Amino acid sequence: MDAKTDEPIPYAAVKVNGTAKFTSTDAEGNFTIDGLCSKSNTLFISSIGYADLTQDHENDSNATFYLIQKITGLEEVTVEAERLKEVGTESISQVVLDQAEIKSIPTQSLGSALSSVQGVTFASVGNNIQLPIIHGLSGNRIIVLNNGLKHGFQNWGEEHAPEIDITSASRITLIKGATGVRYGSEALGGAILVESTALDLNTPFYTDLGVSGETNGQGFNTNLELGSGSENWSYYLNGSFTQIGDRTAPDYNLTNSGKEETALGAGLLHHHKNWDVSVRYSFLDQNLAILRTSFLTSPEAFIRSINADEPVIIDPLSRDIREPNQVTQHHLAKAQVDWRYSDAGKLTFIGGFQLNKRQEFDVRRNADLPIVDLDLVTNDYQLEWTHPSWNGLKGLLGIQYFSQNNDNNPGTLNSPIVPNYNIERFSTFIVEKMEKDRNTFEAGLRLDFESNNVRGREPNNDLFRDEFSFTNLTASVGYVREFTDGSFRTNLGTAWRTANPFELFSFGQNRWRLIYGLLRYEENNGEISTDNVARFDESEVQPERGYKFINEFRINKNDNEHVLTVYSNYIENYIFDRPINVTTTVRGPSLAFIFDQADALFLGADYNWRTRWTTSISTDLGLSYLWTRNIGDDEPLINQPPISTSLSIQWDQGTFLGLSSSIVKLRSSYTFEQFQAPRTIPIQAIVDGSETVTLDSEIFDVLDPPEGYFLLDLSWSFGFKNLSGSIAVQNVLNTSYRSYLNDLRYFADEPGRNLILSLNYQFKPRKTND
Amino acid sequence: MKAIETLKNLRFLTLLFAAILVVSCSDDDDNPPEENIPEVFTDVTLVFTPTGGGTTVRATAEDPDGEGIADLMVNDEITLAANTTYTLTLEILNDLPDPDEDIGDEIAEEDDEHQFFFAFTDGAFSDPTGDGNIGASNAADPINYMDEDSDAQDGSGNPVGLVTEWTTGDAQSGASFTINLQHQPDVKTATSTSEDGDTDFDLTFVLNIE
């Protein structure tokens, strides 16, 4: 059986070690071998797409053997995606990135690695902090599951990206629909499942060593993994180190844009009869620089900066990381017990602990002290029951307990930007599916009870406290129809999310702007006042409620694959931040932002056409379109992804000049100007009074969205015996451009050309290829 | 037999889950620590003291809610006597915490990272002459700085501006006087200007000379 899906594997080869006896499984995955001499034998089972299994077996017993899926290369990406879907998400469009894709650029962020997928892009603050956006939604509207645990980090604002080292990931699954029922109710936009190395049994000892270097930023990465699996035990250890200095845009240095990252990970599995017990630990230490020129605390310098063609501060290239920067450490420990108490029933217990320590440094009088210093402890417990098929229903029942405790550490000389808070959540869910011929029906329900306890301080050190709680129901229904040459899947899912502490309580200076949370401002006769902290229950703040309807049409015929995903997402009380006015401070006129809520509609489509022209030449055309609108106020939304297209040409030379594989890929992409951006009011016009804005004025931005841009990337990847590697050039044409989704678009261009060389060596082949 | 074992295992898992729930549900409602906040300026007072004795002139600007959205208030006009020499000193406070935080001391300690710049109506003063040294190309224009920093990066003391000297010209009303404090860590040199570094404050007062 397939270890993940519990589906039988037909026509797998079964051989008795030390004898010439062999057979294969039938269409239901059953097999029998007769005429064996010894009572106990070792069976060797193999099937294409799965890792080989060698396991002891007593005669005459009815045992189930589980094979683990193997990842072999780019070609199988879509096949993997079809096969690996978890119960409750089968009817949702999803994409899997495998290790080869992830590791081709080992220094990239999770957001950047995923952005090759249609409908996915990233919001960023510079080159180090990149948050994935799925269909226009990012931040904590997307669940990032790190080895099955919701990644517990400071998930607020655009300046906090999940602290995940992608070189230790063996697979990343991206689910484009509202997966709230299965993974957590706030997944309005989708989910990202990051899995580290699989703990496979019966794997000979292996060591993988990777190194890479890149020209832009003179960065390098080195990563190492070793592991082994015996009959009952399996383990791995891995580590990675990355350092990048200041990057350069085509016309100037991007002063203070480097990063340093150290990652460690380990896993251990014990297999005993029908029990699997595994523990995993991972650690990530990051020091991320933020572009110096973006932290001009003076509004006057900000105005000067956004009007200038070049950043106001450009220094010689350096590898030092100075303020402004973010230093985070993330620890994740997880224990999992799987108990297959019968052939089709399984109980899974997961316990997780995460500690996230974050310090942020600003350019300021006491720059050596962090201005933000937070410890976030996350505990996560899940008990899931995969029940045996019951009247044709297959499914999963689960209960979860999730808690977070955020504490501000003393010594920042600043009033805390987010309060201390405790969140506790009890959840229970059920997902069921029924298969009939080529039809699969799915449905799921989830009930969450969440309580929040908040303690904050105002700038004058006065305390404020608040408590609030929610009970919510989330539901999803889906349907899949398989055809000979394709499939159709459709899913309607709801999700809800409460405003995060930053959206509720932020007050004052945040990077280059002033910002006020939903509970920190009120309207008095058309004027905004920020004198009081409102109580949640007395305020008009409502949780976000999303209804996402997503459909995928897939046709696979005559070397052509078309995938069209069409979706709509209606979000009640959508929370977003927007410029609201200019306020005069002792520093001069400053741009003020508020968090606001409105009913929003997202309509979009992603299209992919892959075709094979000859045995070695194939192309991949992609298009993403998203239309968004604040339909409550009938005005545009801000910071939404523009239309993008891409065309890749791949030349797979197969074995070539003694190489075991050689693939050349040229990717061109064009990102349009965001034509749905709000109107532009230059900040000077507000300062000098030629434009007056109030709370009721139409939404505006202070700079036009950047123009569209064309980018070209080129890569060559190869394999030679135990060595694999790639040479990639990003931004081949050294184009100067700015991304609308980069918060630093006001200040500087994106990096220019980058040449990346990466090599991976397996000291002992992990698995022999069939 | 198998059923009993199954039941036992199930009970074990349930107990484990319950035990962990109990352990992790511990209450913690710490308050955030109380911080001194020297980063926020709310009150800036200009104190003009006649060098030859006489009435001290004070002018204050305040932003009572600090980083809140309420606008800055300039409370006073500066009214000086004609043809008189004054020493200008400053009182810089954060009024939000109790007691107030004196930020002038902090600036004095980090004088190698700070410089005050001034702009005024041309001719308002007989010394310094001109219209001040604010602007990218005006840094060398005359201002009578009476102090210099203690740890200058280019080897010689650079002006700070916590103490300056001013001799008024002839009587006029409705002139303007701007004072701008720049925070210039690793940036301040003999030639750095009011457009280098970050602005700590930038205040404009009405200046009357009678």
Side-chain angles (χ1 to χ4, degrees):
Chain A
M1 285 225 212
D2 186 312
K4 273 267 156 56
T5 63
D6 282 346
E7 300 287 333
I9 302 168
Y11 314 117
V14 184
K15 183 177 179 296
V16 183
N17 270 8
T19 74
K21 303 257 180 207
F22 69 93
T23 182
S24 67
T25 58
D26 62 17
E28 276 78 51
N30 298 317
F31 70 93
T32 321
I33 300 177
D34 296 325
L36 294 170
C37 306
S38 54
K39 190 172 183 297
S40 176
N41 288 287
T42 304
L43 297 178
F44 177 81
I45 306 174
S46 73
S47 178
I48 291 169
Y50 291 85
D52 296 339
L53 175 77
T54 311
Q55 197 168 316
D56 288 340
H57 178 59
E58 305 280 317
N59 279 2
D60 307 327
S61 56
N62 284 325
T64 307
F65 299 93
Y66 289 93
L67 295 192
I68 292 161
Q69 289 174 5
K70 183 170 65 176
I71 302 149
T72 49
L74 289 169
E75 289 304 307
E76 290 198 3
V77 167
T78 48
V79 184
E80 291 284 327
E82 291 292 327
R83 197 186 278 151
L84 274 175
K85 285 180 177 166
E86 286 206 48
V87 184
T89 67
E90 282 182 48
S91 56
I92 307 176
S93 179
Q94 47 191 282
V95 179
V96 176
L97 295 191
D98 71 7
Q99 202 160 20
E101 275 182 283
I102 299 163
K103 277 203 169 177
S104 64
I105 304 172
T107 54
Q108 68 186 334
S109 71
L110 178 69
S112 147
L114 288 166
S115 64
S116 59
V117 177
Q118 292 309 320
V120 182
T121 176
F122 55 83
S124 53
V125 175
N127 314 112
N128 298 323
I129 302 164
Q130 298 174 325
L131 289 77
I133 302 180
I134 303 176
H135 293 164
L137 299 177
S138 68
N140 55 10
R141 295 183 188 97
I142 291 178
I143 289 221
V144 178
L145 282 191
N146 190 346
N147 276 315
L149 296 177
K150 180 178 151 182
H151 189 71
F153 69 114
Q154 298 291 348
N155 194 357
W156 41 265
E158 284 130 31
E159 68 272 38
H160 304 128
E163 299 88 356
I164 288 177
D165 165 43
I166 62 156
T167 61
S168 65
S170 68
R171 176 166 49 213
I172 302 173
T173 310
L174 184 114
I175 303 175
K176 292 180 177 178
T179 56
V181 171
R182 181 68 180 83
Y183 298 120
S185 56
E186 62 268 54
L188 282 88
I192 296 166
L193 280 46
V194 182
E195 293 163 68
S196 51
T197 312
L199 286 159
D200 295 341
L201 296 172
N202 303 312
T203 307
F205 180 77
Y206 67 92
T207 306
D208 289 353
L209 176 66
V211 290
S212 82
E214 57 193 59
T215 54
N216 197 340
Q218 300 185 357
F220 68 91
N221 166 277
T222 167
N223 60 77
L224 177 73
E225 177 168 296
L226 51 92
S228 169
S230 67
E231 266 165 48
N232 294 318
W233 292 91
S234 173
Y235 72 90
Y236 70 83
L237 285 170
N238 58 31
S240 161
F241 180 75
T242 301
Q243 198 193 47
I244 303 177
D246 285 349
R247 278 117 160 167
T248 49
D251 298 326
Y252 42 78
N253 297 338
L254 296 169
T255 297
N256 207 44
S257 60
K259 77 166 177 180
E260 204 173 289
E261 198 173 282
T262 309
L264 294 170
L268 179 69
L269 169 86
H270 179 56
H271 170 80
H272 178 70
K273 289 182 184 166
N274 45 8
W275 288 79
D276 279 324
V277 180
S278 64
V279 287
R280 288 179 193 263
Y281 169 75
S282 67
F283 169 72
L284 186 68
D285 184 354
Q286 283 183 324
N287 186 356
L288 307 178
I290 300 174
L291 195 68
R292 173 63 183 88
T293 205
S294 70
F295 268 64
L296 298 160
T297 51
S298 117
E300 188 250 349
F302 169 73
I303 295 170
R304 209 162 61 222
S305 189
I306 62 172
N307 290 331
D309 292 333
E310 292 202 342
V312 173
I313 299 172
I314 300 175
D315 290 341
L317 288 179
S318 161
R319 298 189 78 79
D320 295 339
I321 295 171
R322 290 173 292 158
E323 306 87 16
N325 63 324
Q326 304 183 348
V327 180
T328 47
Q329 282 104 35
H330 192 91
H331 301 262
L332 180 147
K334 179 198 171 189
Q336 179 166 347
V337 181
D338 287 295
W339 175 40
R340 293 170 196 282
Y341 65 90
S342 77
D343 284 354
K346 186 171 87 166
L347 271 174
T348 301
F349 167 78
I350 297 174
F353 169 85
Q354 295 176 76
L355 170 63
N356 185 290
K357 294 174 83 72
R358 166 174 286 271
Q359 292 192 321
E360 297 182 6
F361 298 86
D362 263 14
V363 178
R364 59 167 184 160
R365 201 152 292 95
N366 297 285
D368 53 323
L369 299 174
I371 194 157
V372 172
D373 190 348
L374 299 170
D375 284 356
L376 179 70
V377 175
T378 307
N379 284 297
D380 206 325
Y381 302 100
Q382 307 169 12
L383 187 60
E384 288 179 1
W385 176 40
T386 310
H387 67 74
S389 181
W390 180 76
N391 288 337
L393 280 179
K394 287 181 184 174
L396 193 68
L397 273 81
I399 51 171
Q400 295 183 346
Y401 168 76
F402 175 86
S403 77
Q404 276 191 322
N405 176 13
N406 181 60
D407 282 325
N408 281 277
N409 294 319
T412 60
L413 300 186
N414 188 40
S415 50
I417 186 122
V418 294
N420 286 5
Y421 60 82
N422 292 68
I423 297 174
E424 273 194 273
R425 183 187 279 188
F426 292 92
S427 315
T428 176
F429 70 90
I430 176 168
V431 283
E432 294 291 337
K433 71 165 179 177
M434 185 182 266
E435 283 168 327
K436 203 164 169 115
D437 304 325
R438 293 176 153 186
N439 305 296
T440 305
F441 301 90
E442 273 191 321
L445 261 185
R446 181 189 186 96
L447 183 68
D448 291 293
F449 173 76
E450 182 185 300
S451 68
N452 291 255
N453 180 330
V454 172
R455 291 89 53 199
R457 275 191 195 275
E458 297 183 54
N460 64 2
N461 270 323
D462 283 355
L463 275 171
F464 62 87
R465 303 176 71 98
D466 206 347
E467 284 186 52
F468 40 93
S469 53
F470 310 91
T471 307
N472 257 288
L473 197 65
T474 319
S476 78
V477 286
Y479 168 67
V480 186
R481 168 84 194 184
E482 300 281 349
F483 303 101
T484 326
D485 301 318
S487 61
F488 167 68
R489 50 192 85 233
T490 180
N491 181 282
L492 175 65
T494 69
W496 69 277
R497 181 183 82 94
T498 59
N500 66 43
F502 185 68
E503 290 165 340
L504 291 173
F505 296 105
S506 53
F507 181 86
Q509 197 76 40
N510 171 238
R511 292 179 284 143
W512 45 268
R513 58 188 189 169
L514 296 167
I515 188 154
Y516 306 104
L518 289 162
L519 297 178
R520 297 305 287 263
Y521 71 91
E522 57 198 351
E523 191 178 349
N524 283 330
N525 308 321
E527 299 261 315
I528 303 180
S529 148
T530 57
D531 294 340
N532 298 312
V533 186
R535 300 265 308 175
F536 187 90
D537 289 337
E538 292 158 14
S539 74
E540 290 172 1
V541 181
Q542 296 288 332
E544 279 183 358
R545 256 168 221 292
Y547 305 86
K548 187 162 182 178
F549 181 44
I550 179 163
N551 305 282
E552 183 197 79
F553 307 85
R554 186 181 286 267
I555 299 168
N556 206 333
K557 205 174 182 179
N558 305 334
D559 289 333
N560 281 278
E561 186 188 45
H562 301 267
V563 184
L564 175 67
T565 306
V566 182
Y567 59 91
S568 71
N569 199 351
Y570 172 64
I571 301 179
E572 277 174 5
N573 311 310
Y574 176 72
I575 301 165
F576 60 103
D577 61 319
R578 62 178 178 117
I580 186 66
N581 210 334
V582 169
T583 177
T584 320
T585 69
V586 289
R587 293 186 164 111
S590 197
L591 192 56
F593 281 63
I594 54 165
F595 278 101
D596 205 350
Q597 291 195 284
D599 296 340
L601 183 61
F602 298 70
L603 298 175
D606 311 327
Y607 172 65
N608 241 105
W609 172 36
R610 278 179 218 168
T611 186
R612 192 176 289 278
W613 299 96
T614 72
T615 48
S616 58
I617 307 275
S618 58
T619 59
D620 189 338
L621 175 77
L623 176 70
S624 296
Y625 174 80
L626 171 64
W627 178 89
T628 60
R629 190 89 183 155
N630 169 352
I631 53 171
D633 303 317
D634 193 26
E635 60 181 32
L637 289 172
I638 194 166
N639 294 338
Q640 289 296 324
I643 301 173
S644 65
T645 60
S646 69
L647 176 65
S648 306
I649 303 168
Q650 186 169 304
W651 180 24
D652 187 341
Q653 295 146 298
T655 53
F656 178 71
L657 290 175
L659 299 170
S660 56
S661 70
S662 172
I663 298 170
V664 177
K665 192 173 173 184
L666 181 70
R667 182 178 195 267
S668 59
S669 64
Y670 186 80
T671 305
F672 287 79
E673 178 177 330
Q674 177 50 286
F675 62 87
Q676 303 178 82
R679 66 193 171 134
T680 305
I681 302 181
I683 188 167
Q684 301 92 313
I686 309 173
V687 174
D688 66 27
S690 58
E691 284 272 2
T692 315
V693 283
T694 67
L695 252 184
D696 301 323
S697 301
E698 188 190 326
I699 190 168
F700 65 94
D701 200 348
V702 292
L703 205 62
D704 290 335
E707 291 165 8
Y709 51 90
F710 176 80
L711 294 177
L712 211 54
D713 298 328
L714 182 66
S715 72
W716 174 54
S717 55
F718 62 91
F720 176 71
K721 293 183 177 165
N722 289 346
L723 183 72
S724 63
S726 70
I727 298 172
V729 187
Q730 294 174 318
N731 194 359
V732 174
L733 304 175
N734 207 24
T735 307
S736 291
Y737 69 102
R738 296 188 185 197
S739 160
Y740 180 61
L741 300 171
N742 188 342
D743 190 72
L744 304 190
R745 70 176 183 272
Y746 295 110
F747 309 102
D749 291 343
E750 298 286 330
R753 188 183 299 127
N754 188 16
L755 175 78
I756 305 150
L757 171 69
S758 77
L759 293 171
N760 274 280
Y761 190 81
Q762 290 202 323
F763 280 98
K764 199 159 188 181
R766 180 142 189 211
K767 287 149 204 162
T768 47
N769 275 330
D770 298 332
Chain B
M1 182 68 194
K2 197 168 179 208
I4 292 173
E5 199 159 294
T6 302
L7 216 64
K8 262 189 191 166
N9 285 330
L10 188 65
R11 204 159 40 180
F12 165 71
L13 272 186
T14 317
L15 275 175
L16 185 69
F17 194 70
I20 287 164
L21 281 192
V22 170
V23 170
S24 56
C25 287
S26 59
D27 255 351
D28 163 37
D29 62 346
D30 303 339
N31 292 322
E34 194 170 322
E35 297 282 349
N36 294 319
I37 304 167
E39 300 294 325
V40 178
F41 299 76
T42 60
D43 298 15
V44 179
T45 305
L46 278 52
V47 183
F48 288 90
T49 312
T51 50
T55 318
T56 298
V57 176
R58 298 171 64 90
T60 300
E62 62 173 327
D63 192 3
D65 68 344
E67 294 185 348
I69 202 154
D71 276 340
L72 174 83
M73 297 184 294
V74 178
N75 294 341
D76 307 293
E77 296 186 350
I78 302 169
T79 304
L80 303 177
N83 303 311
T84 311
T85 302
Y86 291 88
T87 303
L88 170 60
T89 54
L90 298 150
E91 289 170 9
I92 307 165
L93 297 178
N94 177 6
D95 182 38
L96 291 173
D98 195 23
D100 295 354
E101 202 120 4
D102 188 341
I103 293 154
D105 293 348
E106 184 114 6
I107 294 166
E109 277 168 31
E110 295 178 1
D111 52 10
D112 60 322
E113 294 183 359
H114 289 91
Q115 186 172 356
F116 290 85
F117 295 87
F118 303 87
F120 40 86
T121 306
D122 199 353
F125 298 97
S126 59
D127 184 21
T129 53
D131 63 356
N133 64 350
I134 290 179
S137 55
N138 301 336
D141 288 4
I143 293 291
N144 298 320
Y145 288 100
M146 305 303 283
D147 52 6
E148 58 183 40
D149 56 30
S150 48
D151 182 27
Q153 287 155 19
D154 59 350
S156 64
N158 291 319
V160 183
L162 282 165
V163 186
T164 46
E165 207 166 81
W166 304 83
T167 305
T168 51
D170 294 334
Q172 63 170 301
S173 62
S176 82
F177 185 85
T178 301
I179 178 165
N180 167 207
L181 172 60
Q182 289 296 114
H183 183 213
Q184 304 175 321
D186 303 327
V187 174
K188 185 178 174 183
T189 64
T191 55
S192 52
T193 77
S194 66
E195 298 200 350
D196 294 317
D198 298 320
T199 304
D200 276 341
F201 61 75
D202 185 358
L203 304 168
T204 299
F205 293 82
V206 173
L207 172 66
N208 303 310
I209 297 170
E210 45 194 38

